[in-house]
Every structure is written in structure tokens, then in C-alpha cells.
Amino acid sequence: MGSDATEQQRIAVCVPVRDESAHLTQLLDAFACQTAAPERFVLCLLFDGCNDDGEARVAARRPSLAFEVIVHRIERAPQANAGRARRAAMALGLSALAGAPDRDDSPGLLLSTDADSVPAPDWVEASAHALASVDVVAGYIERPDAPPQDVHRRVERYWERLRCLQRTVDPLEHDPAPSHPSQGGASLGFRAEVYQALGGFEALASHEDVGLVTAARRAGYRVRHDRTVRVATSSRIDGRASRGLAYTLRQRQTCPTPPAVQDPEAALHRYRVCAEARAAFARLDDDAVAQALATTSRVSMTRLRHLAAESGNAEAFTMYLLPEPEDTEEIALEQAEQRVALLESTYGCPCP
């Protein structure tokens, strides 16, 4: 699909809401300030059995908004389930796209954010621009209210630097360096047909977002981690997901000592092997190429060729061949920061 066609598609912004009335005014303000034309997108608010005045607050504001707002409510589950609510919000978005009066043959674009998040003024436009050339876009999530000595922000920054190193050593055309590691539901975008093909978010208590993005990469879809698609989210520690960001921030506060993190030199070795596998993907019919990768990866040539035949692209092949290790070599954060700084200098990493 050409970029011009994609950038004119109808967009549904899907937001699950659970007792977050206090955040809805700033959310609506953020969409009232979007650079995208108001007729271009529809805001779909899925109220997850809320017990506050959020729905009334939206209803009061609705007549003054230039963009369309669709509201739906589902029965409150005993325990908050981020995946269930996000899946319902996306279903509401799909319904809105299907019912658009000016709908063409394309099903449109689906964007996901959270009620406690504030998308940048160009978030809708930047997401659509990214989706003109990829299938899924994961935006950059900031926490402007993080305290100056926030341990978790330091850890986040380290992982950003490591991702930049990865994409510098093992480049992806559709996900260029500096990239970033976030795959949070506070800023995700999908071509609607891709979201449907993936089966949507699973009804998981947490990490439904990471699971779906990982599934997209394994299925051979192009996923871009785009730093120009930006959302600010809160550093609250009383979040709705049982083990989401709020849970992690709460754990960091009770244990302020920085955690151990993956050794960047060990990570670098894996990135190099991944780069070799990616380069070999389209050339495995060459016995010399296949034998070299078989030696490096310790996987037989027959198995390598079988995996390549089943993979949609080099990224999917690399993920199946070299899955993320469950146990990694870890060192103190300060030591890791020093080591990654040396590697950045060596490889010329463009991480901001």
C-alpha cells in the first residue's frame, strides 16, 4: 500500500478506562490539540465497569470537541485485566472503522493509548506516517513526572542505549537506530488488517502489549520502535495492571538500589550472531553460507533451511533461530553503564 493512501486512512484511537476520571480532561485536551485533522480520527473510550464520574465528564465535554468520541461500557470484572479491557477497546475501534461513512476498501488504522497518558500534539499524525511504511509502530513512552533520582528511569535509559547498540550492530531497515525498547500499550499503532490477522490482544492481566508486538515480529510483520511517536505517561504506583509499570515503579521504590542488568558485552555477542543470521537468511541455498551459520548457531543446515522456509522475513527467522535467552549474564548497573559507553564510542551509536 502506498504511503499517500495509508496517511489518508481513517484512524480509531482506542483507550481502555477504569476509574480514571481525574485523567480524562488532560486526555481530551491532548486530542483536541492534535495536528491531525479532527475528522481524520475517532476517539474510542472503553469504560471498564467504572465506578467514578468519568463517563459523565466525557459526556459534558463532548459537544465542544471537534473530533468524534465513541463511548462504550463493559461489565466490571472482579479483578482488573489490562488485556481484556484493551482488547474490548480495540474491538470498539474496529467497529468504528467498519461503520465509517467514507470508508474505502482499506480497514484503516488502530492506535492504542492509556487514560493516564498524554499523546504529543503530532502523535496521531506521526503514528499514521510510520504506518505508511510498516505494519506496527511502538511509540516512545516518556515519564516527565519521574523524580530526579528515579532508579527505574536510569534502568530504562540503559535499555535504550543497549537497543541503540543492537540496531547499530544488527541493523533493520524498517526499525533503524536509535530505535528504543518500549512496546507498551500507551503508544502502539497497527494497520487494522494486521491487528485482526494477529488475533488481537490476549485477555492477560499484564504484558498483553509486549505479547502482541512479539507475535507480530514472529509472524514476519514489520515493527518499528519509533522515537518520533511520543506519549507522556504518569509515574503513578497504583496502576490497574497487576504487574505493569506501576507495579515495577513501586518495587523500585521499596528497593532503591539499582538492579543488576544484562552485561552489554554479552549482549553484543548475541547481536553479532543475529546480524550474521539475518544476512544469511536469503542465501541459505549456498552451502558455504549455510555451513558458516550452522557453525556459529550450532543448528544443522537442514534445520536452518527449514526455519527459513517457515519464516516470513529475516527478522522472524532470527527470532526463531536465536530466541531471547531466559538467563543472561548480569552485572551491576553502574558497571554496565560504563561498558556500554565504551561500546557506543567504538560503534558510533546515535542514541540521543
Side-chain angles (χ1 to χ4, degrees):
M1 178 181 299
S3 62
D4 289 343
T6 303
E7 293 194 49
Q8 293 306 313
Q9 288 182 278
R10 177 78 160 163
I11 302 166
V13 179
C14 311
V15 186
V17 184
R18 185 179 174 102
D19 296 337
E20 295 178 281
S21 175
H23 298 289
L24 290 176
T25 296
Q26 65 178 7
L27 181 74
L28 294 173
D29 287 345
F31 285 105
C33 295
Q34 288 295 305
T35 56
E39 63 272 13
R40 178 84 194 281
F41 66 92
V42 54
L43 179 62
C44 302
L45 299 176
L46 190 285
F47 286 90
D48 184 14
C50 297
N51 290 324
D52 60 10
D53 67 345
E55 290 179 77
R57 181 170 296 199
V58 171
R61 182 76 184 278
R62 215 166 170 181
S64 66
L65 297 172
F67 56 90
E68 182 182 5
V69 180
I70 296 176
V71 173
H72 184 66
R73 180 185 180 90
I74 60 174
E75 184 178 351
R76 189 181 186 91
Q79 296 294 325
N81 185 296
R84 170 182 178 265
R86 201 175 301 282
R87 183 182 181 87
M90 298 294 270
L92 184 61
L94 284 170
S95 178
L97 292 178
D102 57 346
R103 181 175 180 251
D104 55 20
D105 291 337
S106 173
L109 308 176
L110 290 168
L111 307 184
S112 167
T113 191
D114 291 330
D116 68 332
S117 297
V118 180
D122 65 346
W123 181 73
V124 171
E125 190 172 14
S127 297
H129 179 73
L131 290 168
S133 55
V134 298
D135 304 300
V136 181
V137 59
Y140 185 69
I141 301 171
E142 305 170 288
R143 290 190 295 115
D145 62 345
Q149 302 304 316
D150 183 43
V151 173
H152 189 64
R153 182 66 193 108
R154 187 175 160 193
V155 174
E156 289 173 329
R157 176 61 181 160
Y158 173 72
W159 286 112
E160 288 175 25
R161 295 171 70 181
L162 206 58
R163 171 55 67 85
C164 184
L165 175 65
Q166 179 184 17
R167 290 286 77 99
T168 301
V169 174
D170 177 23
L172 272 178
E173 184 178 358
H174 61 263
D175 189 21
S179 191
H180 66 80
S182 175
Q183 300 179 147
S187 185
L188 287 178
F190 302 82
R191 294 189 182 199
E193 68 272 22
V194 170
Y195 178 81
Q196 291 174 300
L198 290 168
F201 290 107
E202 292 189 63
L204 302 174
S206 60
H207 305 309
E208 78 292 343
D209 38 20
V210 175
L212 189 59
V213 175
T214 301
R217 292 173 57 215
R218 283 195 181 128
Y221 291 113
R222 299 160 300 169
V223 178
R224 178 180 299 164
H225 299 79
D226 198 325
R227 297 181 75 95
T228 69
V229 180
R230 305 177 81 89
V231 160
T233 197
S234 71
S235 295
R236 65 182 184 182
I237 60 174
D238 61 342
R240 307 298 181 255
S242 61
R243 289 184 176 270
L245 175 61
Y247 170 83
T248 301
L249 295 177
R250 190 165 61 248
Q251 295 295 103
R252 293 277 190 260
Q253 286 188 7
T254 59
C255 183
T257 303
V261 294
Q262 185 177 11
D263 183 344
E265 293 177 354
L268 176 62
H269 172 73
R270 183 173 180 277
Y271 300 157
R272 285 172 169 164
V273 177
C274 286
E276 181 182 346
R278 201 181 307 282
F281 171 69
R283 302 171 56 218
L284 289 175
D285 56 341
D286 184 323
D287 285 349
V289 172
Q291 183 58 64
L293 182 57
T295 301
T296 303
S297 64
R298 299 181 181 180
V299 175
S300 72
M301 292 170 60
T302 300
R303 179 61 178 159
L304 288 175
R305 286 166 172 160
H306 178 73
L307 283 174
E310 291 192 336
S311 301
N313 58 12
E315 170 72 345
F317 171 67
T318 304
M319 290 181 70
Y320 281 115
L321 178 63
L322 301 161
E324 291 282 351
E326 293 184 6
D327 298 314
T328 60
E329 299 177 45
E330 293 188 334
I331 58 176
L333 178 60
E334 183 175 2
Q335 185 180 10
E337 290 169 331
Q338 293 170 352
R339 290 186 181 181
V340 81
L342 291 174
L343 295 173
E344 287 172 335
S345 177
T346 300
Y347 290 95
C349 296
C351 193

